[in-house]
Amino acid sequence: MAWDPEQYLKFSEPRLRPAVDLLSRIALDAPRSVYDLGCGAGNVTRLLAARWPEATVTGVDDSDAMLEEAARIPSRIVWRKRSVGDWAPEAPADLVYSNAALHWLPEHATLFPRLMSMLAPRGVLAAQMPRNWSAPSHTLVAATVRSGPWRSKLEHLLRPAPVNEPRFYYGILAPLAASVDIWESEYLQALRGDDPVKEFVKGSYLKQFLDQLGTSDRAAFEDQYAMRVHEVYPSESDGTTLFPFRRLFIIATRS
């Protein structure tokens, strides 16, 4: 999927908060090597570099647009274009961090153990992934796909929820770790603007569907989806739209 940094960062504050919450729970004093997998535009990578100023910090992403945006601000961070799915560090890492990226990859039963194997002793894997595929914001994407003339073009993009139950991750990580901390949080995001839920989802999950459509169908698809989500997520009296969003957090420390 071709990412659009401007669209993604329209709601930078609610997208950043889970990343900060994950970062605050990492109990590492002085890691030497820190990797941000799926670093996007680099706003979280810069927080990692600020917390550990002596560490070598590398942001990894496969989007030219996102990495170009990340590199606009001069820093000591190393930016690497690489698919997270086949990434490997040059030497065992002290911290592998990933915010809202690993859910795009399949086969978590092998992905997470592979990431653990890339850690140095006492190294940490810290990941946050959205887990709201059963929420109307996402189920209504499928409903819109299946209810219009674009169904044959888009239905193949629908897939089962990519993030498993928390106990699944505990089961695959606990045998490999000295400690595993897993929790979920549901953020009541207070969004503003026109069709804010549609615009939020358009920055990530919705974009892959829109990219397959021509101008006319794209506009019609957006309008239909916006109408559906507005019924479920109406505006409050002050103009705010409340959008609950569940996220899964994992911090695993290697033995």
Side-chain angles (χ1 to χ4, degrees):
M1 185 172 72
W3 287 89
D4 180 347
E6 182 178 356
Q7 181 69 37
Y8 184 82
L9 294 173
K10 276 186 178 180
F11 300 95
S12 58
E13 185 173 340
R15 293 191 191 280
L16 182 62
R17 183 180 171 189
V20 173
D21 289 347
L22 177 64
L23 178 58
S24 71
R25 297 279 287 271
I26 299 172
L28 283 175
D29 292 328
R32 292 166 296 178
S33 57
V34 174
Y35 292 88
D36 182 8
L37 303 187
C39 64
N43 52 337
V44 180
T45 323
R46 284 184 280 274
L47 296 180
L48 297 170
R51 175 165 174 184
W52 293 293
E54 302 302 319
T56 298
V57 179
T58 304
V60 179
D61 206 286
D62 62 359
S63 167
D64 287 323
M66 285 293 198
L67 290 173
E68 181 179 344
E69 183 69 20
R72 287 183 187 276
I73 301 176
S75 72
R76 62 183 179 83
I77 298 168
V78 178
W79 306 107
R80 290 279 184 261
K81 184 183 179 184
R82 190 72 181 269
S83 168
V84 173
D86 60 16
W87 166 86
E90 295 178 357
D94 295 314
L95 173 61
V96 173
Y97 177 100
S98 183
N99 179 66
L102 297 182
H103 62 291
W104 293 107
L105 300 180
E107 305 296 339
H108 284 192
T110 55
L111 171 65
F112 278 79
R114 185 173 71 83
L115 293 175
M116 288 293 290
S117 73
M118 297 175 182
L119 297 172
R122 307 303 296 178
V124 171
L125 170 64
Q128 180 275 123
M129 297 180 291
R131 205 171 84 82
N132 66 325
W133 267 259
S134 61
S137 58
H138 284 57
T139 61
L140 291 175
V141 172
T144 306
V145 165
R146 294 186 172 116
S147 65
W150 41 69
R151 180 171 182 169
S152 61
K153 293 182 180 180
L154 302 181
E155 194 167 21
H156 71 282
L157 295 174
L158 298 173
R159 57 175 177 153
V163 180
N164 292 282
E165 296 283 339
R167 66 184 303 149
F168 166 86
Y169 296 97
Y170 185 87
I172 61 175
L173 291 172
L176 307 173
S179 65
V180 180
D181 186 13
I182 298 178
W183 72 98
E184 288 187 300
S185 295
E186 184 172 88
Y187 295 84
L188 186 61
Q189 301 178 146
L191 308 182
R192 300 192 69 86
D194 296 332
D195 298 319
V197 174
K198 185 262 289 185
E199 288 296 305
F200 187 99
V201 181
K202 184 179 173 181
S204 54
Y205 181 57
L206 188 61
K207 189 177 187 300
Q208 62 190 310
F209 300 95
L210 298 177
D211 285 349
Q212 300 298 313
L213 300 175
T215 302
S216 177
D217 279 347
R218 179 185 175 109
F221 187 99
E222 278 198 55
D223 288 345
Q224 285 196 26
Y225 175 71
M227 178 183 65
R228 286 184 165 96
V229 294
H230 183 73
E231 292 178 359
V232 180
Y233 305 102
S235 299
E236 302 297 311
S237 59
D238 64 353
T240 299
T241 299
L242 300 179
F243 180 25
F245 202 105
R246 177 178 294 187
R247 297 180 181 272
L248 175 69
F249 297 81
I250 300 169
I251 296 180
T253 302
R254 186 173 180 179
S255 301

